[in-house]
Amino acid sequence: MQNYDVVIIGAGAAGLFCAAEAGKRGRSVLVIDHAKRLGGKILMSGGGRCNFTNMYASPENFLSQNPHFCKSALSQYTQWDFIALVNDYKIAYHEKTLGQLFCDDSAKQIVDLLLAECKKAKVVIKNRTEISAVSVLESGYQVLTAGGDFECESLVIATGGLSMPKLGATPFGYKIAEQFSIPIVPTRAALVPFTLHEHDKEVISELSGISVDARATCNNTSFNENILFTHRGLSGPAVLQISSYWKPGQEVSFDLFPNGDLEGNLKLAQASTPELLMSNCLSKHYPKRFIQSALDYYKLPNKPLKQYNHKELSQVAEAFTNWQIKPNGTEGYRTAEVTLGGVDTDYLSSKTMEVKRQKGLFFIGEVVDVTGWLGGYNFQWAWSSGFVAGRVC
Ligand SMILES: Cc1cc2nc3c(=O)[nH]c(=O)nc-3n(C[C@H](O)[C@H](O)[C@H](O)COP(=O)(O)OP(=O)(O)OC[C@H]3O[C@@H](n4cnc5c(N)ncnc54)[C@H](O)[C@@H]3O)c2cc1C
C-alpha cells in the first residue's frame, strides 16, 4: 500500500491542472489514468490547435441544472489567469473568432505546459493503469488498481464525460458518484451533429460540403455562426451549439440570412434588375448548388425577378430565413465534443468542488453537471474547477 496526500483519477485537462495546483502547496499527489496517451482529448481539440479558453468566458456560456454553480470557480480562476500561464510558457496563440483562443502551432504545447507544471510540483503520474475499486477508510480513501494499491487523504474524480469513448471516456465518475449516493443529472451527447429523417437526408446529403452563415434557434436560444451540410446530416458551429439546447422531437429553425433583410434585398433587386433570374440574384449570398436545391425543396419557381408577385417574393425570403427542420437524433457520444448533465451540483461545494457530505472527495471538470458552449469554454471549466479543488484538496 502506497500513501499520497491526494490521488486524482483522470489525467485530462482538469485532473492534470488540479494535480499541479495541489502539488505546488506541498501535497504529495498521484494521478492515475487508464489511457495510453496523456491528455488525449487536448491533443485532438480545436483541430489539433486546442481552443484553450475564450476571452469572453462568463457563467452565461455554461449549461447546468444550477446555472449559478459555475460562478465561484470561474471567478477564482479566470480565462485571464490561464492566458497569463500560456504567456509564461511563451506559447503563441491567436483569436480565431468570437474570443476563441487557439495555439498557433499545436495542442501538444498545452499538454506539455500541464506536464511541466506537474513536474515542477513533483506530481507522480501513472497511466495505463486500470482502477478496480475505491473505498472509504477512517482517514481517507483507498484506491485499488492493476498497478498497486494506494491510500490518500483526498480523492479527486476527474474522469470526464462519455463523449468519444475511443479517447478513453468511461462512466467511471458517475459510478463513483452513485457509490456515494450522489445523483447524476441525466446525461446526453452535446456539441454534436444532427442526423436527419430519410427524406431530409436525401436532399441534404447532395449539399455535402457546403457551409452557409445561419442563426440557429431552439428553445428561445440562438447562435449566429455557420452550418455545414454533410452526407450524414447537419454540422458546423451553429448546429453544434444549438444541439446542447435541443431535445428529441423538437424542431430547429435556421435563418440563412442572419445579418440582414432578405425580402428587402430581393425587392430592391427586382426594381433595379428585373430581368435577373432568382437563382442568379441569390448567388450573391449562397453557393449555386445550394440555391437550386433550396428552391426545389420548397417547390418554388426559378424565374426572372420581374415575374414574382409580392407573395411569391415573400415565400422565397421565408424559405431562406425560416427553415424549420426536425432532426431525428444526433450522432451521439461517438462524435460529441462534450456530455451534458453529470454529477449533481447540489451535492458539491461551488467554492471547492468538494462533496458536501463526504469530506475529502472532489469531482472536477466535465464529469460535473456543468457544460460549456463551443469555443474554449469547456477547457476553461476544466482549469477553473481543477484550480479551486487543487487549492484545498
Ligand atoms: C474532439 C474534441 C475536441 C474538443 N475541442 C475542444 C476545444 O477546442 N476547446 C474546449 O474548450 N473544449 C474542447 N473539447 C471538450 C474538452 O476536451 C473537454 O470538455 C475537456 O477535455 C474535459 O476535461 P476533463 O479533464 O474533465 O476530462 P477529459 O479531458 O475527458 O479527461 C478525462 C480523463 O479520465 C480518464 N479516464 C476516464 N475513465 C477512466 C477510468 N475508468 N480509469 C482511469 N482513467 C479514466 C480518461 O482517459 C481521460 O484521460 C473537445 C472535445 C473533443 C472530444
Side-chain angles (χ1 to χ4, degrees), residues 236-266:
V239 167
L240 300 186
Q241 297 279 32
I242 208 68
S243 73
S244 300
Y245 290 83
W246 175 81
K247 294 200 180 77
Q250 292 184 323
E251 276 191 341
V252 180
S253 72
F254 293 98
D255 178 351
L256 304 178
F257 202 76
N259 303 313
D261 167 16
L262 182 58
E263 191 171 347
N265 264 260
L266 293 177

Side-chain angles (χ1 to χ4, degrees), residues 108-287:
K108 186 169 175 297
Q109 293 173 295
I110 299 295
V111 176
D112 290 345
L113 173 158
L114 294 171
L115 294 177
E117 286 289 289
C118 282
K119 194 171 174 195
K120 265 200 274 178
K122 299 188 172 55
V123 171
V124 178
I125 302 174
K126 271 177 92 67
N127 56 337
R128 294 172 182 245
T129 303
E130 295 295 335
I131 292 142
S132 49
V134 165
S135 54
V136 187
L137 304 171
E138 228 172 82
S139 57
Y141 298 87
Q142 186 181 52
V143 181
L144 307 182
T145 83
D149 300 338
F150 305 95
E151 276 184 22
C152 57
E153 197 184 330
S154 297
L155 178 64
V156 183
I157 308 298
T159 45
L162 296 170
S163 36
M164 299 231 171
K166 67 171 194 261
L167 291 179
T170 72
F172 182 88
Y174 308 132
K175 289 196 174 135
I176 296 294
E178 278 165 15
Q179 183 183 334
F180 288 92
S181 305
I182 302 165
I184 302 298
V185 174
T187 55
R188 65 187 162 88
L191 299 182
V192 61
F194 285 135
T195 55
L196 301 174
H197 292 286
E198 212 43 54
H199 111 274
D200 290 326
K201 195 174 151 189
E202 260 171 44
V203 181
I204 293 221
S205 62
E206 280 172 24
L207 302 174
S208 181
I210 291 178
S211 148
V212 290
D213 280 343
R215 182 183 303 114
T217 303
C218 188
N219 287 320
N220 301 320
T221 305
S222 296
F223 289 94
N224 213 344
E225 292 186 59
N226 64 54
I227 63 172
L228 173 70
F229 299 96
T230 73
H231 59 278
R232 282 196 294 266
L234 289 172
S235 188
V239 167
L240 300 186
Q241 297 279 32
I242 208 68
S243 73
S244 300
Y245 290 83
W246 175 81
K247 294 200 180 77
Q250 292 184 323
E251 276 191 341
V252 180
S253 72
F254 293 98
D255 178 351
L256 304 178
F257 202 76
N259 303 313
D261 167 16
L262 182 58
E263 191 171 347
N265 264 260
L266 293 177
K267 279 183 188 155
L268 285 176
Q270 191 180 41
S272 60
T273 53
E275 303 297 336
L276 190 67
L277 259 184
M278 177 58 85
S279 55
N280 289 342
C281 175
L282 289 169
S283 70
K284 278 180 243 156
H285 310 295
Y286 307 106

Side-chain angles (χ1 to χ4, degrees), residues 9-15 32-35 41 44-46 50-51 129 131 158-160 164 167-168 170 172 336-338 364-366 376-379 382:
I9 304 180
I32 309 172
D33 202 297
H34 67 161
K41 250 183 214 173
M44 285 275 290
S45 69
C50 186
N51 178 193
T129 303
I131 292 142
T159 45
M164 299 231 171
L167 291 179
T170 72
F172 182 88
E337 278 201 14
V338 284
I364 58 171
E366 200 182 312
Y377 303 99
N378 285 294
F379 279 135

